[in-house]
Amino acid sequence: MAKAFRYSAILLCVVLVLLISGSEQLQSSQGETLLRIQRLLNYPSSLSSWNSSIDFCNSEPNASVTVACYEKSITQLHIVGNKGTPLLPRNFSIDSFVTTVVGLPSLKVLTLVSLGLWGPLPGKIARLSSLEILNMSSNFLYDAIPQELSSLSGLQSLGLDDNMFAGEVPNWIGSLQVLSVLSLRKNMLNGSLPDSLSNLENLRVLALAHNYFKGEVPDLSSLTNLQVLDLEDNAFGPQFPQLGNKLVSLVLSRNKFRDGLPAEVTSYYQLQRLDLSNNTFVGPFPQSLLSLPSVTYLNIADNKFTGMLFENQSCSADLEFVDLSSNLMTGHMPNCLLQDSKKKALYAGNCLATGDQDQRPISICRNEALAVGILPQQKKRKPSKAIIAISVIGGIVGGIALVGLIFLAVRKVKSGKTIRKSTIRLIAENASTGYPTKLLSDARYISQTMKLGALGLPAYRTFSLEELEEATNNFDTSAFMGEGSQGQIYRGRLKDGSFVVIRCLKMKRSHGTHNFMHHIELISKLRHRHLVSALGHGFEYYLDDSSVSRIFLVFEYVPNGTLRSWISGGHAGQKIHWTHRIAAAIGVAKGIQFLHTGIVPGVYSNNLKITDVLLDQNLVAKISSYNLPLLAENRGMVGHGASSGASKDLSLSARINQDEKVDVYDFGLILLEILLGRSLTSGNDVDVLQDQVTDIFLWFLYLVCRETLSNAFFPHH
């Protein structure tokens, strides 16, 4: 029995020795690989504790070095050097180094950061077929990203930041189906991004900042898991990228984006950081971004955002930093940004009504806002015969349309359906009508006002009271031109010698300047070739409470007489030719169209008369009397809702339609006077003409066709 026990003990000892020696042999093999890596890296200080006796798998991890093992195999290797580590010596071989690293075939996580590695990244690194995370940031790797990485089907994170990789992002990147992090910041990558990025359905982080990318960003709206998008300091643009709504951080700063922001941006409810700075974004700034529930950082500095800020705008409770600097915004900074010490707000370089940070005159912001989006003038070409033919047809159709308006207007009189203007002139410019202020910068307005550059109009601006007093000799009676529903009217001469018309409105209510700014914003848009355009405004204040006592509206001066005087021979015995009559009719139509559709909200019920149509020195027709928003406000009216007792129950659209018909009727009367060449002084004059409308229609059509054909084929005739 004792002998058998001794044999069993000896056998057990032999087995234990074999097992221990086998374990030491495995550990020795992996240890030798790690020690070789230490030598190839030129013995960095972070690996100073490595030696032949260390138990790597059980060594204590730290911020610089971590070795993790699973079932006797190294699965994770993290080596992080000091920031700014220089290149390894000239005898360093990146190929030998990678050959050594792939001697750890079970690696799932490989981090080699700030180690001075240099050279093209060898494709053989893809032999680590189990690799899930690869981070080789802050080295000196160059050339293209090796295609062999496409075989790493399990790769979840690829970080190659702060190297010198060049070329384009390869199209095969879209084949890494489980990739959730792609970070290529601070390289020399260029070109456009591949559309295959949209295949990365699991992508959560896309960081491509500080490269040389350009062009449109691919459609990323299908990446429903994308939370971080960093495209800073490239040349992406001009369109805002199409994205999902689960973003937490969006950085587009220092690119070439120059369009407006899409409405979807205001639905990024998880967004915490938004940086759009140093681009050329245009259009109204969506103020609801300030109140996104999760936002903590918002930077839109150095763009061309427009719009008016309001003191009562709400802000997110988590918002910590806001930079609105160097845009074209007006109004007042929200109190939620100024009165909360936990929030830092920068807003210099706008045109805001605040004095604690540098602001520009409001005229500068308006002038630059008008200039946004102007297209370069194309080289004039001689029109082809086809273009001439189209022009002829267009002229004839336009003439028919004009006369058709006369026909319809007079027919309405005959059938008793025309609405005569018993309603007071109005304008739908009030918050209660449902029109947000940002609509005042509507694209339709921009497209119209872009044409003003050739007219030589000065920029809309604010006039001081002293400047207006000097222009009118202290509002002397010699400068007085008349008084009507639009207040007292004076003629003035500015310091530059130009003449202006100044309308003085006395306010019946005591309000501060900010109460009128939304009206002023609309008035500043009343600038068109066929309107007597607004040039600026000024305020006079009560001394006791600094509220506004009078508002002065400054318009261009058109001294060449009325359209009626020119067609009736009352202008020094002169009459205008039919060519100019047709042009005047078209001009009035374009002016009315602009008042109705060129700005938002439209201006209706303008009480148009032919005596309110002036001709400038080039015989261009300009409507001089149209509805002003401050008039309705000063009379206590509120939008279209105060039109009359009979129309209070009508919907907004119905009242607009009604007021539009009123202007169409007035236009019909103006057209009749243009055709007849004499005044229509009463409704009886219109009734007498009812039976002659058809003949007038045909006669005017003949004139339009004759003039159009003559101008098209015999321009010098």
Side-chain angles (χ1 to χ4, degrees):
M1 179 68 69
K3 188 175 181 180
F5 178 77
R6 284 196 301 271
Y7 284 128
S8 298
I10 293 172
L11 182 61
L12 179 60
C13 290
V14 171
V15 171
L16 289 174
V17 169
L18 290 175
L19 288 175
I20 293 172
S21 64
S23 176
E24 288 177 349
Q25 185 177 1
L26 178 64
Q27 184 68 36
S28 175
S29 173
Q30 296 200 9
E32 288 178 1
T33 299
L34 293 178
L35 292 175
R36 179 170 174 78
I37 290 174
Q38 182 187 35
R39 290 194 300 273
L40 292 173
L41 292 177
N42 203 27
Y43 299 96
S45 59
S46 56
L47 302 182
S48 59
S49 61
W50 282 10
N51 54 62
S52 58
S53 61
I54 192 174
D55 183 358
F56 288 103
C57 289
N58 293 304
S59 60
E60 189 70 23
N62 57 56
S64 299
V65 182
T66 299
V67 178
C69 304
Y70 179 74
E71 294 184 349
K72 303 175 184 178
S73 297
I74 297 177
T75 56
Q76 296 187 35
L77 176 61
H78 300 264
I79 307 176
V80 179
N82 297 323
K83 185 177 181 180
T85 299
L87 279 76
L88 289 169
R90 295 180 60 183
N91 60 356
F92 170 78
S93 169
I94 187 66
D95 188 75
S96 298
F97 177 78
V98 170
T99 301
T100 301
V101 171
V102 298
L104 303 173
S106 299
L107 277 177
K108 293 181 178 293
V109 178
L110 177 60
T111 301
L112 301 169
V113 174
S114 296
L115 298 175
L117 304 175
W118 60 271
L121 180 61
K124 66 179 68 177
I125 197 169
R127 295 177 186 174
L128 297 172
S129 58
S130 299
L131 209 57
E132 297 176 357
I133 297 176
L134 175 61
N135 185 1
M136 300 185 71
S137 300
S138 300
N139 286 290
F140 301 92
L141 304 174
Y142 53 81
D143 282 354
I145 300 173
Q147 183 178 358
E148 288 83 353
L149 292 179
S150 61
S151 65
L152 298 177
S153 58
L155 193 64
Q156 300 177 26
S157 177
L158 176 60
L160 301 175
D161 295 339
D162 199 9
N163 279 283
M164 297 184 294
F165 286 105
E168 299 183 354
V169 173
N171 192 60
W172 54 257
I173 203 77
S175 65
L176 302 176
Q177 293 296 313
V178 297
L179 193 67
S180 62
V181 176
L182 177 60
S183 189
L184 305 174
R185 293 185 180 100
K186 295 184 179 180
N187 278 281
M188 302 176 67
L189 297 166
N190 55 54
S192 301
L193 297 183
D195 291 334
S196 62
L197 282 174
S198 60
N199 298 331
L200 301 176
E201 298 180 354
N202 294 293
L203 197 65
R204 307 175 76 87
V205 176
L206 179 58
L208 306 174
H210 305 290
N211 279 283
Y212 298 93
F213 295 117
K214 63 180 181 179
E216 299 288 356
V217 178
D219 186 350
L220 304 179
S221 57
S222 61
L223 305 185
T224 56
N225 294 306
L226 189 64
Q227 296 181 347
V228 176
L229 178 62
D230 184 1
L231 305 180
E232 181 182 4
D233 191 21
N234 282 283
F236 288 116
Q239 301 287 338
F240 191 91
Q242 300 181 60
L243 307 170
N245 59 2
K246 293 184 179 180
L247 285 165
V248 175
S249 176
L250 175 60
V251 180
L252 303 179
S253 56
R254 301 183 184 279
N255 277 280
K256 293 186 177 181
F257 296 106
R258 61 175 184 266
D259 280 356
L261 298 184
E264 295 78 27
V265 176
T266 58
S267 65
Y268 294 169
Y269 297 122
Q270 299 180 37
L271 195 64
Q272 298 177 16
R273 182 183 183 88
L274 177 61
D275 191 345
L276 307 177
S277 60
N278 294 101
N279 282 282
T280 320
F281 282 113
V282 299
F285 166 61
Q287 298 181 42
S288 56
L289 292 177
L290 294 169
S291 55
L292 287 175
S294 303
V295 66
T296 61
Y297 179 98
L298 176 61
N299 189 349
I300 64 165
D302 292 291
N303 281 284
K304 294 186 180 296
F305 284 115
T306 59
M308 181 176 291
L309 300 180
F310 295 95
E311 293 173 309
N312 60 353
Q313 168 68 40
S314 61
C315 301
S316 169
D318 296 328
L319 191 59
E320 298 175 355
F321 178 85
V322 176
D323 192 349
L324 310 178
S325 304
S326 301
N327 280 282
L328 305 175
M329 288 183 285
T330 60
H332 293 75
M333 278 295 290
N335 290 330
C336 59
L337 295 176
L338 299 179
Q339 298 176 0
D340 190 341
S341 59
K342 296 180 180 179
K343 293 178 171 57
K344 181 178 181 180
L346 303 175
Y347 46 92
N350 284 280
C351 298
L352 299 170
T354 180
D356 55 345
Q357 293 192 25
D358 291 337
Q359 299 297 317
R360 299 180 288 177
I362 194 170
S363 59
I364 292 180
C365 287
R366 291 200 173 108
N367 190 35
E368 290 192 26
L370 289 176
V372 170
I374 296 180
L375 297 176
Q377 293 185 347
Q378 294 183 348
K379 197 173 182 179
K380 291 185 177 180
R381 298 180 180 178
K382 185 176 180 180
S384 64
K385 292 182 178 180
I387 294 177
I388 293 176
I390 293 173
S391 301
V392 171
I393 296 172
I396 294 174
V397 172
I400 294 173
L402 286 174
V403 182
L405 286 174
I406 304 175
F407 187 79
L408 290 175
V410 180
R411 292 290 293 177
K412 286 183 178 179
V413 175
K414 191 173 182 179
S415 61
K417 295 181 180 179
T418 301
I419 302 173
R420 200 56 196 154
K421 286 181 294 300
S422 59
T423 59
I424 300 175
R425 293 177 298 153
L426 298 167
I427 180 169
E429 169 54 25
N430 194 284
S432 62
T433 64
Y435 291 112
T437 304
K438 67 178 182 178
L439 288 180
L440 299 178
S441 299
D442 187 86
R444 289 179 295 174
Y445 156 65
I446 295 176
S447 66
Q448 293 281 348
T449 52
M450 288 306 98
K451 301 175 183 178
L452 290 174
L455 301 181
L457 282 178
Y460 188 95
R461 66 183 180 93
T462 301
F463 290 84
S464 67
L465 179 59
E466 292 76 14
E467 189 176 3
L468 297 178
E469 288 177 341
E470 182 179 350
T472 58
N473 194 19
N474 202 22
F475 295 99
D476 188 77
T477 54
S478 61
F480 184 72
M481 298 178 65
E483 184 172 6
S485 61
Q486 298 190 357
Q488 295 178 330
I489 302 176
Y490 293 85
R491 188 181 74 160
R493 186 173 185 176
L494 303 178
K495 289 182 178 180
D496 62 3
S498 61
F499 287 96
V500 294
V501 173
I502 303 170
R503 291 177 177 171
C504 173
L505 307 177
K506 185 174 178 60
M507 295 293 102
K508 296 181 179 180
R509 301 179 180 180
S510 296
H511 290 303
T513 306
H514 62 279
N515 294 93
F516 301 107
M517 289 312 296
H518 61 294
H519 290 316
I520 295 297
E521 186 81 13
L522 178 60
I523 291 173
S524 69
K525 307 298 187 290
L526 295 173
R527 295 162 65 86
H528 188 269
R529 177 178 175 82
H530 296 291
L531 296 182
V532 175
S533 299
L535 302 180
H537 70 275
F539 294 108
E540 183 181 33
Y541 303 93
Y542 289 109
L543 297 178
D544 52 353
D545 60 358
S546 297
S547 61
V548 176
S549 60
R550 287 193 296 177
I551 296 180
F552 303 97
L553 302 177
V554 183
F555 295 85
E556 62 176 325
Y557 179 58
V558 183
N560 206 22
T562 67
L563 178 58
R564 172 177 281 180
S565 68
W566 276 95
I567 64 174
S568 63
H571 189 81
Q574 301 182 55
K575 284 189 177 183
I576 56 175
H577 192 269
W578 272 107
T579 302
H580 293 120
R581 291 197 193 191
I582 295 170
I586 295 173
V588 174
K590 288 182 177 180
I592 295 173
Q593 181 192 32
F594 177 79
L595 290 172
H596 287 186
T597 65
I599 54 177
V600 176
V603 179
Y604 301 94
S605 291
N606 290 286
N607 195 20
L608 301 169
K609 303 184 186 70
I610 196 170
T611 53
D612 294 326
V613 179
L614 306 180
L615 298 183
D616 67 6
Q617 64 273 17
N618 298 315
L619 299 181
V620 174
K622 293 177 176 285
I623 301 172
S624 66
S625 179
Y626 42 82
N627 215 341
L628 294 176
L630 280 173
L631 298 178
E633 177 79 9
N634 201 33
R635 288 194 296 263
M637 304 298 182
V638 181
H640 283 276
S643 182
S644 68
S647 63
K648 286 182 179 178
D649 295 333
L650 295 176
S651 66
L652 177 61
S653 60
R655 288 195 293 273
I656 291 176
N657 185 47
Q658 175 178 304
D659 292 340
E660 189 174 33
K661 290 179 180 178
V662 169
D663 284 345
V664 171
Y665 176 88
D666 290 340
F667 180 52
L669 295 180
I670 292 173
L671 284 174
L672 281 175
E673 288 205 33
I674 291 175
L675 288 172
L676 297 173
R678 62 180 177 85
S679 303
L680 298 176
T681 57
S682 67
N684 293 331
D685 292 342
V686 178
D687 294 335
V688 171
L689 293 171
Q690 289 178 10
D691 297 328
Q692 304 176 26
V693 167
T694 302
D695 294 336
I696 294 172
F697 177 90
L698 294 174
W699 173 246
F700 190 65
L701 178 59
Y702 163 74
L703 292 173
V704 169
C705 293
R706 187 185 70 177
E707 294 295 335
T708 304
L709 290 170
S710 176
N711 290 333
F713 294 104
F714 306 101
H716 301 295
H717 179 64

